[in-house]
Amino acid sequence: MSQPTPATTEVPTLPGDTRVAFEVADIIVVVFYFAFVLTVGIWSSIRASRGTIGGYFLAGRSMTWWPIGASLMSSNVGSGLFIGLAGTGAAGGLAVGGFEWNATWALLALGWIFVPVYITAGVVTMPEYLQKRFGGQRIQIYMSVLSLILYIFTKISTDIFSGALFIQISLGWNLYLSTVVLLAVTAVYTIAGGLTAVIYTDALQTLIMVLGALVLMFIGFEKVGWYEGLQEKYSTAIPKIIVPNTTCHLPRADAFHLFRDPVTGDIPWPGLIFGLSVLALWCWCTDQVIVQRSLSAKNLSHAKGGSVLAGYLKIFPMFFIVMPGMISRALYPDEVGCVDPDICRRVCGAAVGCSNIAYPKLVIELMPNGLRGLMIAVMMAALMSSLTSIFNSSSTLFVIDIWQRIRRQASEQELMIVGRVFILILVLISILWIPIIQSANSGKLFDYIQSITSYLAPPITALFILAIFCKRINESGAFWGLMVGLAVGLVRMIIEFIYSTPSCGEEDRRPAVLKDLHYLYFALILCVLTAIVIVLISLCTPPISEEKLACLTWWTRHRKAPAIDLKNYKSEAAQINPANGESDLVESADSGNKEQAAAKPPCWKMLYLWFCGLTTGPTPTLSQEERAALERRLTSIEEKPLWKTVCNVNAILLLTINVFLWAYFG
């Protein structure tokens, strides 16, 4: 590897300038792949019911277990995860793979505990569930706004940054050009297709992503001499230029262990088991992006099957993302393992370290022609899949939880259009956010995502667990608990942004609360603190009466809901769409549509109506009995005994494998 010439002052490039010119084979593969993805998206959106809120946002409640499982996996494994997990693996070893294995427990909790309650409650969004459970509007609005903030800070921005980093390293394009092109394609098929397009293309991309990553894993392992060779080479992967009198260039001695010292470890074991479970429950059981997938299942057995499949799939990232990250450091210690701030700046533009480039570096160096193109297409697809999921879920949240507050009388047509305009606004915000992430390049992207999450998400985890299992909790307790949790979390987050992580050889001047309290410990403390506040305030205020809790908690999920609803809207409650819960999802646009449909609209208008999923013909109205039957079907959690047993057996098998892996790599 030739060393970089010190005289360069342009955009930082990799040492030896390894930007590979794309071969013809690679270009053909990329073009073909994207054409294929768009075709699938358009085909599925023509088949899908996109003209109603239930169709656009919940895929018409018709999905089977395997696309749900694949979609749960790929909503979570975006390019941010590839770059973040591999980077943290390169920097610190196997422990970060525990983040993936911890998800198995949370996924099973989703299918067996949370989804049954959400289905019987008949809700579309998570804030809507809280609103039915507690009444009042404060919590629902707080949740919607907080979720949107979390999406922008942790999901949208990091995914875009990592995708752009990937294109920049592999193609040498300008960061902004590549991002804009990518977002344009993504937005077109999210807007045109709704959730069905997202779920079908997700299933396809997950498959290709996993196969491509497996190929790369085998090539990488063969290069280093399999697992034994990796252990030997990783322990000696030290860059040529080091900072004198420091140890930060040495790979960690405990790199091949999951469980690390509770005080000095970079990912301490109590944090990995307990603190991380708080974040996992938030991510898998209460987060709109994920839960929306499970709620689109045909019935409860399909939702459980999806959880089990996703749990099996989550076993693999340790092997095809974390370990290749370590292989990348073993093969290219000077770039991936750089510690000298000037060298690091030249390699990847960040003084604190370049572990983020571990995965792209491996793809560019090791993948054969054609396959390299496929892998890059898949990484872009992963980015699109993850962004599409988030754009779709964010617009659902905005339309149903915020816009309908402002415009009580909004027609279905208006809601559909507002949802699509909101996606465009999100895209703009995301593009403006890129430079901020570039400058806040904290060396390890994955740690950035997890730490922000651990400051904002634990209060929500505490609230959902209590809402589902504890009938005594009421609105006042829930709201003030969330507020206290938010205040404490924001204080820590602001301190984190004020004091940046020192680079190698610098003195650590951060306050003790930052330096000595790991973010996973903080997440656990914050969750417990919030729970205590919620319980205390609820005990000091009057309880919610039993009959109002039917269908809304774990203990009352089999009780039929009475006519009363906790929603204390004004008298015109009936006009707010989600107030009638799930039943409203099947209502179609109001009479205004019929008048439009009387005269056949011109061609351009037909195209526009199709793009926005608005019907041109008169829409069917359902009789009272039909609506009641439909509502019964949509809120039923009955299962056939055979499939119930199949799901349970698979869940036990999955947990056994999971425990074995923790013990083996522990």
Side-chain angles (χ1 to χ4, degrees):
M1 207 77 227
S2 61
Q3 278 303 307
T5 49
T8 48
T9 50
E10 325 95 71
V11 185
T13 58
L14 298 182
D17 196 12
T18 47
R19 288 202 180 138
V20 181
F22 247 25
E23 307 289 327
V24 178
D26 294 327
I27 294 171
I28 293 172
V29 168
V30 172
V31 171
F32 177 77
Y33 184 77
F34 277 104
F36 180 61
V37 166
L38 272 174
T39 314
V40 171
I42 290 169
W43 167 78
S44 61
S45 66
I46 289 173
R47 280 191 50 204
S49 54
R50 298 154 55 248
T52 65
I53 289 195
Y56 183 72
F57 292 132
L58 282 187
R61 270 277 158 97
S62 61
M63 300 312 286
T64 48
W65 61 275
W66 65 270
I68 292 173
S71 182
L72 282 172
M73 170 79 172
S74 60
S75 293
N76 189 251
V77 180
S79 54
L81 198 75
F82 268 93
I83 287 190
L85 268 183
T88 306
L94 290 180
V96 72
F99 281 75
E100 294 301 291
W101 290 349
N102 193 295
T104 303
W105 303 82
L107 275 161
L108 296 180
L110 171 71
W112 270 257
I113 295 172
F114 288 83
V115 165
V117 178
Y118 297 150
I119 290 179
T120 53
V123 292
V124 188
T125 71
M126 295 302 94
E128 195 191 338
Y129 167 74
L130 289 178
Q131 216 268 326
K132 279 193 153 184
R133 168 71 177 79
F134 294 114
Q137 312 219 346
R138 313 184 284 187
I139 298 178
Q140 187 174 12
I141 295 170
Y142 164 94
M143 282 285 298
S144 301
V145 174
L146 184 73
S147 302
L148 290 173
I149 292 172
L150 268 168
Y151 287 160
I152 291 172
F153 274 105
T154 62
K155 292 193 168 150
I156 300 181
S157 52
T158 50
D159 269 347
I160 290 178
F161 167 71
S162 45
L165 184 73
F166 206 93
I167 301 184
Q168 196 186 19
I169 286 174
S170 48
L171 306 183
W173 287 7
N174 172 314
L175 198 66
Y176 292 98
L177 171 70
S178 39
T179 310
V180 172
V181 170
L182 196 86
L183 284 170
V185 178
T186 310
V188 165
Y189 92 61
T190 311
I191 292 175
L195 191 63
T196 323
V198 179
I199 289 185
Y200 278 109
T201 46
D202 264 3
L204 164 87
Q205 278 161 12
T206 308
L207 185 70
I208 298 182
M209 199 159 44
V210 172
L211 292 177
L214 287 172
V215 170
L216 184 57
M217 175 185 81
F218 283 115
I219 297 174
F221 268 124
E222 196 205 18
K223 270 266 192 287
V224 292
W226 305 100
Y227 194 65
E228 292 74 29
L230 174 61
Q231 283 176 304
E232 183 192 323
K233 286 198 172 71
Y234 183 84
S235 334
T236 56
I238 297 169
K240 291 191 187 74
I241 301 171
I242 61 171
V243 178
N245 308 323
T246 61
T247 56
C248 36
H249 55 276
L250 297 173
R252 294 186 65 89
D254 55 7
F256 287 87
H257 298 287
L258 276 178
F259 294 130
R260 301 189 175 174
D261 189 283
V263 182
T264 57
D266 58 338
I267 301 178
W269 72 262
L272 190 61
I273 291 180
F274 304 109
L276 186 57
S277 300
V278 172
L279 302 187
L281 282 174
W282 168 77
C283 172
W284 296 100
C285 304
T286 72
D287 179 22
Q288 181 70 18
V289 173
I290 300 292
V291 177
Q292 194 175 356
R293 300 276 169 286
S294 292
L295 288 182
S296 65
K298 270 184 182 168
N299 56 37
L300 185 56
S301 297
H302 279 288
K304 286 182 177 178
S307 276
V308 171
L309 176 62
Y312 280 121
L313 291 174
K314 289 300 271 182
I315 291 173
F316 297 110
M318 170 72 103
F319 303 104
F320 68 71
I321 304 181
V322 180
M323 288 182 185
M326 298 173 73
I327 291 172
S328 184
R329 168 155 181 176
L331 294 176
Y332 315 107
D334 291 330
E335 289 100 321
V336 178
C338 74
V339 286
D340 182 275
D342 298 332
I343 300 279
C344 290
R345 248 189 228 104
R346 200 177 301 149
V347 172
C348 64
V352 279
C354 288
S355 55
N356 280 341
I357 67 167
Y359 204 83
K361 179 85 182 142
L362 210 58
V363 172
I364 297 304
E365 298 286 345
L366 297 187
M367 280 298 228
N369 288 346
L371 271 182
R372 188 190 304 129
L374 182 66
M375 200 57 198
I376 282 166
V378 168
M379 296 301 281
M380 293 303 98
L383 174 80
M384 283 168 52
S385 148
S386 157
L387 282 175
T388 309
S389 310
I390 295 160
F391 286 153
N392 201 289
S393 305
S394 311
S395 71
T396 313
L397 272 181
F398 180 76
V399 166
I400 290 183
D401 294 328
I402 298 173
W403 189 255
Q404 286 196 331
R405 294 265 166 278
I406 305 166
R407 303 239 330 138
R408 291 290 163 88
Q409 310 282 355
S411 67
E412 181 114 14
Q413 182 166 2
E414 178 185 328
L415 296 180
M416 301 294 289
I417 293 171
V418 167
R420 286 158 161 93
V421 170
F422 185 68
I423 292 179
L424 295 177
I425 295 170
L426 274 184
V427 171
L428 283 174
I429 296 176
S430 315
I431 293 177
L432 295 174
W433 189 250
I434 294 172
I436 299 173
I437 291 208
Q438 269 180 297
S439 58
N441 199 330
S442 52
K444 296 184 206 163
L445 185 75
F446 195 72
D447 285 22
Y448 162 81
I449 301 171
Q450 297 301 333
S451 59
I452 298 272
T453 308
S454 61
Y455 307 147
L456 298 175
I460 301 176
T461 308
L463 177 63
F464 270 89
I465 292 174
L466 289 172
I468 284 179
F469 286 111
C470 182
K471 293 192 275 191
R472 184 62 184 79
I473 304 303
N474 61 22
E475 200 268 349
S476 313
F479 179 72
W480 291 111
L482 284 178
M483 283 299 154
V484 171
L486 179 68
V488 176
L490 281 178
V491 168
R492 164 89 191 226
M493 185 167 127
I494 291 164
I495 297 177
E496 176 105 2
F497 277 135
I498 294 172
Y499 296 94
S500 56
T501 318
S503 45
C504 189
E506 283 182 7
E507 190 192 342
D508 195 343
R509 293 208 174 84
R510 297 175 299 169
V513 66
L514 210 58
K515 198 165 50 180
D516 303 332
L517 184 63
H518 194 275
Y519 63 81
L520 290 173
Y521 288 151
F522 182 81
L524 187 60
I525 293 167
L526 184 58
C527 182
V528 172
L529 175 77
T530 307
I532 292 170
V533 174
I534 292 176
V535 170
L536 287 179
I537 295 181
S538 294
L539 291 175
C540 299
T541 44
I544 294 171
S545 61
E546 266 303 302
E547 67 270 15
K548 290 182 179 171
L549 294 177
C551 300
L552 297 175
T553 69
W554 175 252
W555 315 113
T556 59
R557 66 192 190 283
H558 293 300
R559 252 181 252 166
K560 266 306 352 112
I564 42 169
D565 200 337
L566 258 185
K567 307 198 164 188
N568 46 9
Y569 285 131
K570 315 285 178 289
S571 57
E572 73 262 30
Q575 285 142 7
I576 302 180
N577 286 349
N580 313 331
E582 193 63 67
S583 61
D584 182 79
L585 292 184
V586 292
E587 264 212 63
S588 285
D590 60 357
S591 54
N593 268 15
K594 291 177 194 157
E595 290 154 26
Q596 285 176 0
K600 200 170 187 296
C603 296
W604 64 267
K605 185 143 190 204
M606 296 275 281
L607 187 71
Y608 153 79
L609 287 171
W610 173 79
F611 188 75
C612 285
L614 303 168
T615 43
T616 47
T619 44
T621 49
L622 297 176
S623 69
Q624 207 63 40
E625 294 79 36
E626 285 173 322
R627 287 189 59 165
L630 188 70
E631 188 164 357
R632 267 200 306 279
R633 187 177 73 77
L634 289 176
T635 56
S636 154
I637 51 169
E638 284 167 26
E639 295 177 88
K640 295 201 171 98
L642 169 68
W643 294 117
K644 188 173 180 174
T645 314
V646 168
C647 289
N648 291 343
V649 169
N650 262 297
I652 293 166
L653 185 65
L654 174 61
L655 286 179
T656 314
I657 295 172
N658 189 265
V659 172
F660 167 75
L661 286 169
W662 277 100
Y664 183 78
F665 286 98

